[in-house]
Amino acid sequence: MKKHRRTTVIFVLGLLGIGALIHLSWGYKQVGNETDWFPFVPENTHASGVIGMESWLDAPAGKHGFVQMEKEQLVFENGKPIKFWGTNINGSNAFPNRGAANDFTNFLAKYGVNAVRFHKFTWNATDEEYSVIPQPEKFERLDYFHARLKEKGIYTGWSAIYGHRVLPGDSSSLLAYQEVKNLSYPWSHLNGSTSSLVNFAPDLQELNIALTVNMLNRTNPYTGLRYAEDPALAFVEFQNEDNIFWSAIERSLEQAPTYRALLCRQFSQWLQAKYGTQEQLEKAWGSVTIPESESLEQQNIYPQPNHSFFSKEYETALESGQQMPVHVMDKMRFLYEQQVAYYRKFEKAVRDTGYKGVIVGSCWQAGSGISHLYNVHADYLVGMIDRHNYFGGGAGGHQLATGPVKNTSMLKNPGSGLLSTGMQQVRDRPFSFSEWMSLVPNQWTAEAAPLVAAYGMGLQGWDASFSFAVDIPRFSLLLESANHGVYNATSPLHMGLYPALSRMVYRGDLQESPVLGSRKVHICSLENEMPGFVEKVAQGYDDKRFSGSLSPASLAIGKVPLEFTDVPEDTQLPDLSLYRDSLQQMLLSVTGELAWNFDTGYFTIDAPGSKGLVGFMPDTSVSLGGWTIESPNEFAVILITSLQANKDLQEADSILLTTVARARNTGMEYNASGDVLEAKGTSPLLLEPVDLRLGLPEGQDYDIWILDHDGRVTDRQLIFEKGMVEVSGAHFKSLYYLLSRK
């Protein structure tokens, strides 16, 4: 607990147009005393104010040609590099009326979003009889929305299919329409869909491909272009959160005997081609007993497509120091080849439309070890690597509810949580983080966006980020989202940080780490032997945790990606101990711009265009390139950012100071330890004030103005004294402050 500090602050208050010099004394309220928390009351105006970023968007989207992959980078056809700092809009929200489409576009542009991932929207877009035909009246709304986003300089991407739901008109083209139609999952949104089975079943693949091709061939009346011709469509993803190793496939196969028989027949034919006879197969598989009911002759040998099974076999082999059994290696290799064949077929169909943008296979994991690496490689072969991860949450799952809270902080464990997703980054491919969020009622959610922006998009050089999700064209009135529950990108602790973070990303404030080494994978060798390093993935539902030969903490230091090689090569991991300061308990980035204190739990940003202190506040003042920050808060996010695209902090005439900490609904209550939510509360949303002492670099002098919650200048002004100013969040009730050079 921080001690009380008594300080004096001087500020100028404009009252009816008359400036009055006010002296205030204040004592910082200890954590847990919410009497000074203040309502978040934006007007949600689209007026730019100080923070608006519409002028930063390179409008119209597509002016530089299609987005392409150039090794690890995304670039336009004219060679200009691009990073996407975006968000998700999903389901029916992709089909707003014109007024809402305009509001969404203006809201996103103001806060610096330059890309939208339209997600699982085909449930709301197809003909009522045939699942592969876009419904014109419904799609016209998306057409208009796409055109408005394009006009503002906001790119779109399609993650259209998340379980392609079959319809009666599809029945004549399917092996067993009723089996698919009647599929039931614990996740009801996937009921009656091609999910999981599509990865090996050609008839179901044709549905997914036909729908995507038909959408690409649709002419948008507001742009005059087929979507396949429109460079504002940055990427097309084949399928969301699905692959042939997904454990739910076995639940599908139990309910779909026709498709189970198809998979077994495919595997048996694969084994026949490899071994020739049942005798040779049994000899190769050794002591493994093939069930009497299964044989090559009957073509019904089952490949056990479940990443949980393969992960268990991998970890057993690690413990014993032995190779994995041949039958397990064969099953994984067969499934990998099926996945690749599907993606190659899909890729050709998309390219045949003339579409030249980026392709994504899928965004889902496949367990630990070899199945995981096979799955990554299948995605690698067709395009950009894309992954999801979430952190936090509580008893209510997708919704806010009373009960236990996952209230840990990612900053207490470097490389954990959201950042750990970067363990799947691959050399020679761009990397996208297309769904992520730190979920309430975790109290430290404000750490997430700065972490992804600084360490992910900055140090690790990620190319795209899409937080999940925006469901209203304004800030939310509660800690949770109106429609998406705990998945709330419209929180002031998230989108409220974008005026600073978007500038940091687009200006390229943080240097990307060089490749310090790589975990080398020769894909052909995986047929017979274990990889030369350990890679484990522990998966809950949406959250993943990584461990192995390379610690995820390395992500706080520099880049050590996966690398697929043409010939077998030994993995030699770099010695990163030089970047660990055990005395100060810090991990230092190789660029020298980021430092992570793993004891207290905070990190600092010290780049020419941005400075920052994020997490649990140290007891002493922190110096960042001449700027000093000291705060009595337990936890805060404090960002100092040049507001000008072509000037760093040393040169900038205007600078944005952003301060947030925690947020709670009015009446929201936790137990004393913070790990149980006892009451959800109601509106209005309350923000914890951030107090700090800010020191200027020598020779610099600024006026400092308090901004309102929409980022507009008020008539309240602070005074620097001897290069130092005290900021009282409890008195000023603001997130934003403008520093204007004198």
Side-chain angles (χ1 to χ4, degrees), residues 474-493:
R474 59 190 177 276
F475 282 101
S476 53
L477 298 176
L478 293 167
L479 196 60
E480 67 270 36
S481 161
N483 299 316
H484 285 141
V486 298
Y487 303 91
N488 184 12
T490 54
S491 162
L493 304 188

Side-chain angles (χ1 to χ4, degrees), residues 135-455:
Q135 212 279 345
E137 289 76 16
K138 295 177 182 177
F139 224 92
E140 186 271 342
R141 289 190 171 198
L142 186 140
D143 293 338
Y144 179 81
F145 196 5
H146 170 92
R148 286 290 293 119
L149 292 167
K150 177 178 180 175
E151 180 185 330
K152 286 284 189 181
I154 300 173
Y155 288 79
T156 56
W158 285 356
S159 170
I161 298 173
Y162 182 31
H164 182 131
R165 294 174 180 170
V166 297
L167 295 173
D170 305 324
S171 60
S172 62
S173 65
L174 300 187
L175 289 175
Y177 170 74
Q178 287 299 329
E179 287 183 7
V180 179
K181 185 67 176 176
N182 294 332
L183 284 175
S184 176
Y185 291 95
W187 320 279
S188 59
H189 54 276
L190 294 179
N191 290 350
S193 78
T194 64
S195 183
S196 73
L197 300 181
V198 70
N199 295 288
F200 67 86
D203 60 329
L204 304 182
Q205 292 169 4
E206 291 302 323
L207 291 182
N208 288 26
I209 291 169
L211 174 58
T212 304
V213 166
N214 288 340
M215 291 193 302
L216 286 169
N217 281 328
R218 175 180 171 82
T219 297
N220 184 332
Y222 300 101
T223 65
L225 297 172
R226 289 185 307 122
Y227 279 98
E229 301 169 318
D230 193 341
L233 181 60
F235 67 86
V236 172
E237 178 188 84
F238 293 161
Q239 56 185 6
N240 176 74
E241 295 187 356
D242 196 359
N243 61 56
I244 201 166
F245 296 100
W246 186 35
S247 58
I249 191 173
E250 292 206 288
R251 183 184 294 268
S252 304
L253 295 170
E254 289 170 0
Q255 303 173 68
T258 302
Y259 288 94
R260 189 184 195 279
L262 171 63
L263 180 63
C264 292
R265 185 162 62 251
Q266 291 171 338
F267 184 44
S268 298
Q269 290 169 354
W270 187 89
L271 292 171
Q272 184 104 40
K274 181 172 183 178
Y275 294 110
T277 66
Q278 182 82 15
E279 181 182 9
Q280 290 299 318
L281 170 62
E282 292 175 356
K283 181 179 179 181
W285 282 16
S287 60
V288 174
T289 301
I290 300 173
E292 290 185 7
S293 59
E294 298 180 11
S295 69
L296 290 182
E297 183 180 2
Q298 298 176 85
Q299 295 197 344
N300 65 347
I301 299 178
Y302 183 58
Q304 295 177 269
N306 184 329
H307 69 69
S308 297
F309 164 68
F310 296 126
S311 295
K312 182 178 179 181
E313 290 288 341
Y314 172 72
E315 295 188 15
T316 298
L318 289 177
E319 292 172 4
S320 66
Q322 303 294 317
Q323 294 294 330
M324 294 174 71
V326 174
H327 78 98
V328 177
M329 305 289 262
D330 279 346
K331 290 168 182 173
M332 288 189 290
R333 182 70 189 192
F334 160 74
L335 295 168
Y336 157 74
E337 290 181 6
Q338 292 294 103
Q339 187 75 84
V340 169
Y342 171 39
Y343 284 176
R344 287 300 197 194
K345 181 166 59 173
F346 211 144
E347 178 187 24
K348 182 180 185 304
V350 167
R351 294 304 185 202
D352 284 348
T353 68
Y355 179 69
K356 296 189 291 183
V358 174
I359 286 176
V360 175
S362 189
C363 42
W364 205 234
Q365 285 68 223
S368 297
I370 294 178
S371 61
H372 155 66
L373 296 173
Y374 272 144
N375 181 57
V376 174
H377 191 253
D379 293 327
Y380 169 90
L381 288 175
V382 294
M384 178 167 67
I385 304 299
D386 181 32
R387 290 295 181 263
H388 296 173
N389 208 349
Y390 292 90
F391 186 81
H398 297 319
Q399 304 299 320
L400 185 65
T402 56
V405 176
K406 299 175 182 177
N407 201 41
T408 57
S409 164
M410 292 179 280
L411 298 181
K412 298 285 189 176
N413 184 8
S416 66
L418 300 177
L419 185 59
S420 71
T421 314
M423 296 295 288
Q424 297 168 93
Q425 191 169 2
V426 181
R427 195 165 189 177
D428 295 333
R429 284 293 184 273
F431 185 78
S432 170
F433 196 15
S434 71
E435 281 188 34
W436 61 272
M437 185 56 60
S438 180
L439 307 175
V440 295
N442 183 292
Q443 298 184 75
W444 321 114
T445 58
E447 69 188 3
L451 186 65
V452 172
Y455 280 94

Side-chain angles (χ1 to χ4, degrees), residues 478-589:
L478 293 167
L479 196 60
E480 67 270 36
S481 161
N483 299 316
H484 285 141
V486 298
Y487 303 91
N488 184 12
T490 54
S491 162
L493 304 188
H494 184 85
M495 193 69 73
L497 294 170
Y498 275 35
L501 299 178
S502 299
R503 286 176 167 87
M504 185 173 75
V505 170
Y506 299 154
R507 195 168 44 221
D509 285 353
L510 289 161
Q511 300 175 65
E512 182 178 334
S513 166
V515 174
L516 306 178
S518 60
R519 291 115 69 211
K520 298 181 185 295
V521 181
H522 180 235
I523 206 73
C524 292
S525 296
L526 296 182
E527 284 192 79
N528 304 305
E529 61 186 46
M530 300 275 276
F533 57 92
V534 175
E535 195 98 317
K536 296 182 181 180
V537 184
Q539 184 169 328
Y541 288 96
D542 285 336
D543 60 298
K544 298 94 190 175
R545 298 170 301 282
F546 296 81
S547 61
S549 301
L550 182 71
S551 168
S554 65
L555 296 163
I557 297 171
K559 290 177 67 172
V560 190
L562 291 166
E563 180 179 0
F564 294 112
T565 62
D566 294 331
V567 296
E569 295 183 34
D570 292 335
T571 291
Q572 294 182 333
L573 298 177
D575 180 5
L576 301 179
S577 61
L578 292 175
Y579 302 98
R580 180 185 177 98
D581 185 336
S582 297
L583 183 63
Q584 299 294 325
Q585 296 184 296
M586 303 285 282
L587 291 177
L588 309 175
S589 70

Side-chain angles (χ1 to χ4, degrees), residues 109-122:
K110 177 174 179 176
Y111 286 90
V113 169
N114 71 345
V116 165
R117 179 179 182 254
F118 283 135
H119 175 47
K120 60 180 181 185
F121 60 90
T122 53

